[in-house]
Amino acid sequence: MAAPLLAAAMLSLASVPASAGAVRDHRSEALSARLFPLFDALGRELSALDALKAQPDVAAMLRARQERRDACTSDLGCLAQAMIWTSAETSLIAGKAVRPSGQRDADDGTAAQATREIEGANAIVRTFGLGQVPPYPQIDGAGTIDPQETRARLQAAAWLAQTPRAASTQALDPGFDFALALLDASDRADAIGFEPLIGGLNAPAMKRAKGIDWKRFRYSAMIVTGVGPEVPDMALSPFGKYHLRLAASRFAAGDVPFIIVTGGRAHPRATPFTEAEEMRKALIERYGVPAEAIVIEPYARHTTTNLRNATRLLMEMGAPLDKDTVIVCNPGQSAAISSPAFVQRNITELGYEPGKVGRRISPTELEFRPSAQSARVDPKDPLDP
C-alpha cells in the first residue's frame, strides 16, 4: 500500500504551482493581532492600506525607508537598524493612519495607538536584533547568544520579512514582520500562549462567575502574585510554593470566591514554564482547590502587571470594581507592594495605578481596590500584554 500512497502524494504535489504566493502563518497572525492590532487590521483591509500608501508624503517616506534598507546590501546589522522607524517617520504615519472598519477606537485615539505599536516594533528590533539591553535583562531579551546564532536569527528575519504572508502589513512596510520574525526566532511568542484568555483553563471559573452572587463574599477575589524561580527547569520557586500554601489556607476561610494566580514565562529567561499555569496545577493537585475557583493570568512579568492584568480579568468576570480584593504573597513582597515606591513604580512603568493598595491585614495579606484604568492601553502593552 505504501507505493500507491506515495504516488498519490507526489501527484498531488505536482499540481501545486512552484510559487503559490502569500500563505497564512497562523502563529504570526496571532502574534501580530496581539502586539500590533491597528496595523494588523490595516493589513487585512487593503482599501485602507492602499489609501494610506497613496498619500504623497507617506509614499515618499516609505520609498526612503526602502532605499535605506537597500543600501545595507548584505550587512544584517545595518538592515536591522534600517528597520527602525525614526521619530519623524513615526509621527507622519501615526498622523495619517485611519482606523479600519470594525476596529474599536483606543481610549486616546488612533494616532496614539499607532505610535505605541511602532515604538513596540522598534523595541523588539532593538532588543532582539541589535542587542540593546532591556530594562529587565534577567528575564527579557535574547540573552547572551553565539554570534553565529545572532546572524542566523537576523538573516531568517530578513528573509521572512520579504517572503509573502497573507493578511500582513508587508504591503506597507516589512518592519512589523521583521520584528515578529525576531520574536519567533527567539521563541518569545509568550503573548499568545493562552488566547482566548476567557476560555481554556479559565473556562470553568468564567462560567461560574456569570452566576456568582458577589455580595456573599468579603472580597471579590484573591490575587496571588508571581515570584518566579531563578533556577532552570524549576516549575515553581520555593517562595511560589509558600504563596500557594498561604492561598489555600486563605481560600478555606470561605470569604473569597476566586483565586487569581498571576505570572508568565519570566523567570529565568526563556523558561518553558508559565508560572500561573503551574500554580493552578499545584492548587488543584496539592490542595484540592476546585478548578472553577481558579483563574490564571499567564502574561504578567512584573508585580505591576500582576495587578494590572488581574484587574483586567476581574472586569472580564463581571466582578464589581467597588469591592476589595486581597493580595496574598510573602512578607517581603507584601511590604514592597504597600510602599510609596510601588506607587511610583506603577506610574513610571504603566503610566497610572491599576488600583489602590489598602490596609495590610497581616504580613502576608493586604487589600487592593482594582481600578477601571487598568482597561486602558499603557506604555508596557506592546511587549508586556
Side-chain angles (χ1 to χ4, degrees), residues 21-302:
V23 295
R24 292 187 63 184
D25 176 345
H26 297 284
R27 181 184 175 98
S28 293
E29 278 186 24
L31 199 57
S32 177
R34 179 75 165 161
L35 299 181
F36 313 122
L38 175 63
F39 284 99
D40 180 78
L42 277 172
R44 287 181 277 106
E45 190 167 307
L46 293 181
S47 58
L49 192 67
D50 289 341
L52 178 61
K53 290 168 54 184
Q55 299 185 54
D57 48 358
V58 173
M61 180 268 287
L62 294 175
R63 281 196 303 272
R65 281 179 58 79
Q66 181 63 57
E67 290 167 2
R68 193 164 75 224
R69 294 190 295 270
D70 290 343
C72 292
T73 59
S74 60
D75 187 335
L76 293 171
C78 172
L79 179 63
Q81 185 62 54
M83 291 287 184
I84 298 291
W85 297 81
T86 68
S87 57
E89 292 166 349
T90 300
S91 296
L92 173 60
I93 201 161
K96 299 285 187 175
V98 294
R99 186 161 296 279
S101 58
Q103 277 279 304
R104 187 182 59 155
D105 200 18
D107 61 343
D108 52 358
T110 301
Q113 181 176 350
T115 300
R116 272 193 301 274
E117 293 184 15
I118 291 171
E119 289 174 349
N122 280 351
I124 293 169
V125 174
R126 289 191 178 106
T127 302
F128 292 92
L130 296 171
Q132 178 174 298
V133 178
Y136 296 92
Q138 294 83 7
I139 63 173
D140 292 325
T144 303
I145 58 176
D146 182 88
Q148 187 174 350
E149 175 64 17
T150 299
R151 180 176 178 80
R153 294 182 186 188
L154 284 170
Q155 183 64 79
W159 283 334
L160 283 165
Q162 61 184 353
T163 302
R165 179 174 72 84
S168 74
T169 57
Q170 288 170 315
L172 176 71
D173 188 272
F176 291 103
D177 263 43
F178 186 76
L180 292 171
L182 285 173
L183 280 182
D184 196 13
S186 298
D187 195 26
R188 295 309 297 263
D190 311 25
I192 56 172
F194 291 87
E195 295 303 306
L197 199 48
I198 61 173
L201 296 178
N202 282 339
M206 290 294 176
K207 180 179 179 180
R208 177 170 170 252
K210 291 179 180 179
I212 204 81
D213 180 2
W214 300 99
K215 295 186 179 68
R216 288 184 49 224
F217 300 92
R218 171 68 182 86
Y219 300 104
S220 60
M222 180 197 317
I223 300 173
V224 183
T225 54
V227 54
E230 303 301 338
V231 180
D233 302 322
M234 180 180 284
L236 284 172
S237 72
F239 278 16
K241 293 175 181 178
Y242 174 55
H243 283 193
L244 295 181
R245 179 75 62 85
L246 293 171
S249 297
R250 188 68 181 73
F251 183 73
D255 61 352
V256 175
F258 296 101
I259 303 174
I260 300 177
V261 287
T262 170
R265 281 181 56 194
H267 298 269
R269 181 196 296 108
T271 176
F273 300 107
T274 300
E275 191 174 10
E277 183 179 22
E278 297 301 325
M279 288 196 285
R280 176 186 185 271
K281 185 188 306 181
L283 283 172
I284 293 171
E285 294 178 356
R286 295 179 62 161
Y287 296 104
V289 177
E292 60 267 25
I294 306 172
V295 177
I296 67 165
E297 187 296 294
Y299 295 130
R301 305 177 68 74
H302 311 288

